[in-house]
Amino acid sequence: MNRQTILEFRSLCIKLFDGSLEEHESQRLNELMYHPGLRKVYFGLVKVNLSLKFAGECCRESSDLLNEETFVEQVWESLAAEEKNAEPVQRFESIEESPRRVNKKVYQQKQPRQISKFNLYSALTGVAALIFIFIFASISPDRTAVKAAAVRDALNAEFADDSESYSQGQSIWAGETVRISEGFIEFETARNVLITVEAPAEFEFNKQDDMQLEYGQVYANVGENGIGFTVHTDNMRLIDLGTEFGVYRDKKGWTEVHMINGEAALVAGGSWFKKTKQQLFKGQARGVSSNGTSVEELDSEPEKFARYINSDHKSVWRGQKALDLADIVGGGNGLGSGEYKSGINTASGEYTTDINRLNSLKFSNGQGYLNVDSLSFVDGVFIPDGEFGAVQVTSEGHTFSGVSDTEGKYWIGLLNGAYHPRLQDVLPHTLTLQGVKQSYPENSALFIHPNQGITFDLDKIEQVVQGKEFSRFTAEFGLSDSVFDNDNFVVPLNNFEVFEEGQLNCDLQVLVDGQLRFEKSNQSPSQKPSRVDLTLKPEDRFLTLIVTIPIEDNLPEAGFVWAFMKDPQLHVWGNE
């Protein structure tokens, strides 16, 4: 609430008191009445107005008393006149009456009450003091400032006032106006209400459990301790009853409320005294007109609002139901920020955006397990070969003894996207499943040529979704049948004849914390993709994918086994 708004409100109230308020001004006054701070201003003005009316009645016939030049002189003259003309002080007189004395009271005859100029002066002085106190309280800073919230995080945040900035842990005080022009900012109130604001936005906290939104997008996650938290706009207020919700308001006043979980009370209306009240539940949404006179049903958009930000991972989670592991291999955070055709060199454990560094044959050379330090959510990579026993599959030392004996070599690397780069006689092209191109970004895919393994750290990935756990891992595993299309080769191979049924195949193994959870053997290009759907437990941390060609299969054309995982997704618990 800024000073200009307060001055506008006072002016409208004065017009209301003297009967000169016009219809459009009345409508504006009703809108401003929704602000609790302005309602306090209104009650104060009412008191002042009534006091002034009383004082005006008292001095109607003595208007000259208000003449500043003679005011003091008349006050003293009035005091002298009262002293001179005052009735004598009455006392008790005694008379004798046998057999005893009786005290007889003598009463002064009741006189019509006269207005004392001195008393009038005192009354006017009191009114003046009241006005002074009221104005001083309105324009002076709050000497007992209330800490309304603290900044949890900010991402790419820029503020309308270049001199302002908010860092993690910084306090936001009641009555402090915040204007953010770019990016996101996240708060937590003293009652553990989590609030995320998306720019452009202007808002302030009236107190710890009351937020005034001028415009912008706000998401609130309210636990049991914060029930009753309220978001105000000029045309409505939303009172939480234990929930998650989003509020959007544009600069013209149109307001939307989207219930994500739980329930809340919506109060809207075109008049301060006539309000529309509705109770909203999960999946419901309402739109409120700028003057609050109409409330309409809207389609729910639960992913419209930024729910959680993480500046370390440059992530903005809007409640998406799943995170994409292919995007993570492409250097992203699982929400689409990864780079297409980028990936990991399995022989070195390095992430690269240069696809030319991934288009050659690699050998294990006994390298073992490699941490991928450049990607926060990838624990490590390895070239699986069970010739010498159990294979390490996590940075914590988990091993797996069920890996087949392989040749210990692979082509290309781990790539974000169903894309085959130019490699010897193979032309660059988009891979296919059952004849359908898996084009990016419409389709997500992790290209994982045999023999390679990759492990993801679920605990770290959960940081993107506010620590929520994952309930399932799903994907479709298949081999590209683009290998049968001669247009993808420099020299036609007539591959339908060259690759007899069964000559192109590989195996998939999915581990959790080193334990086998899913296995598919002899997947071939002519088969439908194999569906992977496994349940994850809260205590599960490492998810490992291994694609191999057992050496005993003795495949002559292993370089044409173009395996990939379509839509490899981690599903967020309770958000499916």
Side-chain angles (χ1 to χ4, degrees):
M1 181 171 58
N2 53 43
R3 181 176 178 81
Q4 184 177 356
T5 302
I6 295 174
L7 294 175
E8 177 191 10
F9 181 77
R10 287 177 181 165
S11 176
L12 293 174
C13 287
I14 291 171
K15 288 187 176 184
L16 174 67
F17 298 152
D18 64 21
S20 63
L21 192 67
E22 298 181 4
E23 183 177 352
H24 71 281
E25 293 175 323
S26 176
Q27 191 174 60
R28 175 58 176 162
L29 181 59
N30 283 330
E31 293 174 354
L32 293 176
M33 280 290 191
Y34 279 100
H35 197 297
L38 291 179
R39 289 205 292 273
K40 292 181 181 178
V41 174
Y42 173 79
F43 292 133
L45 285 172
V46 169
K47 291 179 181 179
V48 172
N49 182 62
L50 292 176
S51 299
L52 289 174
K53 281 187 175 182
F54 172 78
E57 292 294 332
C58 292
C59 65
R60 179 172 297 167
E61 296 181 0
S62 305
S63 60
D64 61 324
L65 184 61
L66 300 178
N67 186 331
E68 183 176 354
E69 295 180 359
T70 62
F71 182 73
V72 175
E73 182 180 351
Q74 291 186 35
V75 169
W76 287 111
E77 288 179 357
S78 177
L79 287 171
E82 285 198 1
E83 177 70 21
K84 181 179 180 180
N85 299 322
E87 294 288 335
V89 176
Q90 301 297 319
R91 62 181 181 177
F92 293 109
E93 296 182 3
S94 298
I95 61 173
E96 289 188 5
E97 182 177 342
S98 181
R100 58 187 178 87
R101 298 178 61 185
V102 177
N103 290 332
K104 180 179 180 181
K105 290 184 179 179
V106 179
Y107 294 95
Q108 179 182 355
Q109 184 178 359
K110 187 174 182 179
Q111 300 291 332
R113 182 176 179 82
Q114 302 292 326
I115 297 175
S116 166
K117 291 183 179 181
F118 178 78
N119 292 338
L120 179 58
Y121 168 73
S122 300
L124 291 176
T125 303
V127 171
L130 178 61
I131 294 174
F132 173 79
I133 292 171
F134 174 72
I135 294 175
F136 181 82
S138 299
I139 65 176
S140 299
D142 185 1
R143 302 300 181 185
T144 57
V146 175
K147 179 181 176 182
V151 177
R152 281 170 52 101
D153 204 354
L155 178 63
N156 302 325
E158 296 182 9
F159 299 89
D161 185 348
D162 292 337
S163 64
E164 291 184 358
S165 63
Y166 295 90
S167 57
Q168 190 172 10
Q170 184 172 344
S171 297
I172 301 295
W173 302 94
E176 178 181 354
T177 299
V178 180
R179 300 180 184 89
I180 178 171
S181 56
E182 298 287 343
F184 307 83
I185 191 166
E186 185 176 273
F187 306 94
E188 183 173 5
T189 72
R191 296 185 178 179
N192 306 120
V193 178
L194 303 181
I195 301 166
T196 306
V197 180
E198 181 174 357
E202 177 179 335
F203 63 94
E204 69 178 59
F205 290 94
N206 298 316
K207 49 187 178 179
Q208 292 177 338
D209 57 357
D210 193 305
M211 182 180 187
Q212 176 77 19
L213 177 66
E214 296 297 328
Y215 61 86
Q217 288 195 173
V218 172
Y219 161 81
N221 186 332
V222 185
E224 184 176 348
N225 194 38
I227 290 177
F229 177 77
T230 302
V231 173
H232 278 90
T233 65
D234 286 345
N235 56 345
M236 73 95 208
R237 71 178 185 270
L238 187 70
I239 305 167
D240 169 78
L241 300 175
T243 187
E244 293 178 71
F245 63 82
V247 176
Y248 163 77
R249 188 171 195 262
D250 65 25
K251 292 185 178 181
K252 294 182 179 179
W254 168 256
T255 306
E256 296 181 8
V257 176
H258 295 258
M259 297 302 302
I260 298 170
N261 272 313
E263 59 185 291
L266 172 67
V267 182
S271 169
W272 184 35
F273 303 101
K274 296 180 181 179
K275 302 180 178 70
T276 300
K277 300 180 181 179
Q278 295 185 14
Q279 192 165 357
L280 304 181
F281 299 91
K282 177 181 178 179
Q284 294 183 327
R286 296 290 185 271
V288 182
S289 61
S290 59
N291 59 10
T293 57
S294 66
V295 179
E296 59 184 82
E297 290 189 16
L298 301 176
D299 291 334
S300 178
E301 298 179 66
E303 295 184 8
K304 180 175 183 175
F305 300 90
R307 302 191 196 181
Y308 178 71
I309 61 175
N310 189 307
S311 56
D312 292 337
H313 303 308
K314 295 180 173 56
S315 61
V316 179
W317 184 54
R318 297 180 181 274
Q320 291 94 323
K321 297 179 180 180
L323 270 62
D324 182 10
L325 295 184
D327 181 73
I328 288 175
V329 169
N333 50 40
L335 298 172
S337 61
E339 185 171 338
Y340 180 49
K341 300 179 185 178
S342 69
I344 303 171
N345 184 333
T346 311
S348 65
E350 296 177 351
Y351 167 76
T352 179
T353 58
D354 183 4
I355 199 169
N356 292 321
R357 298 181 62 183
L358 301 174
N359 62 358
S360 59
L361 180 66
K362 305 290 195 309
F363 292 88
S364 67
N365 296 322
Q367 66 180 35
Y369 190 84
L370 299 176
N371 295 333
V372 181
D373 296 328
S374 54
L375 297 181
S376 300
F377 306 133
V378 177
D379 183 66
V381 294
F382 56 97
I383 299 175
D385 187 354
E387 179 181 2
F388 302 106
V391 175
Q392 182 178 345
V393 294
T394 76
S395 60
E396 294 291 316
H398 295 89
T399 60
F400 179 58
S401 58
V403 176
S404 301
D405 183 10
T406 70
E407 290 186 327
K409 64 180 181 181
Y410 72 94
W411 293 89
I412 302 173
L414 299 158
L415 194 66
N416 176 27
Y419 178 81
H420 198 300
R422 174 65 188 266
L423 182 60
Q424 296 184 353
D425 290 336
V426 180
L427 298 174
H429 67 279
T430 300
L431 303 179
T432 60
L433 275 180
Q434 302 290 287
V436 179
K437 284 189 175 182
Q438 302 301 302
S439 302
Y440 181 91
E442 296 82 7
N443 298 279
S444 165
L446 169 57
F447 187 17
I448 179 169
H449 185 283
N451 299 284
Q452 297 179 91
I454 181 172
T455 297
F456 299 91
D457 190 331
L458 302 183
D459 283 357
K460 291 184 178 180
I461 300 175
E462 286 174 359
Q463 296 174 11
V464 175
V465 292
Q466 201 175 355
K468 293 181 180 291
E469 297 165 346
F470 297 114
S471 60
R472 294 162 53 228
F473 167 68
T474 62
E476 291 187 349
F477 175 66
L479 272 58
S480 177
D481 51 4
S482 61
V483 70
F484 299 134
D485 186 347
N486 281 320
D487 290 340
N488 295 322
F489 296 89
V490 175
V491 178
L493 299 180
N494 295 319
N495 287 340
F496 282 108
E497 298 177 2
V498 173
F499 300 139
E500 297 178 1
E501 182 65 29
Q503 280 195 326
L504 299 178
N505 65 76
C506 65
D507 302 341
L508 168 69
Q509 294 171 313
V510 181
L511 316 179
V512 175
D513 294 339
Q515 301 298 311
L516 182 65
R517 291 279 189 90
F518 178 89
E519 187 171 26
K520 166 62 181 174
S521 300
N522 300 318
Q523 180 73 36
S524 72
S526 59
Q527 295 176 342
K528 291 182 180 180
S530 297
R531 175 70 175 174
V532 181
D533 189 343
L534 59 90
T535 300
L536 296 174
K537 301 175 183 177
E539 61 270 22
D540 293 339
R541 178 176 177 183
F542 295 108
L543 176 71
T544 303
L545 310 177
I546 304 174
V547 177
T548 58
I549 297 177
I551 197 169
E552 61 264 22
D553 289 355
N554 194 29
L555 296 184
E557 303 293 348
F560 296 107
V561 180
W562 300 336
F564 64 93
M565 306 284 288
K566 174 181 170 63
D567 296 327
Q569 295 183 336
L570 291 171
H571 297 261
V572 181
W573 183 269
N575 204 46
E576 299 178 82

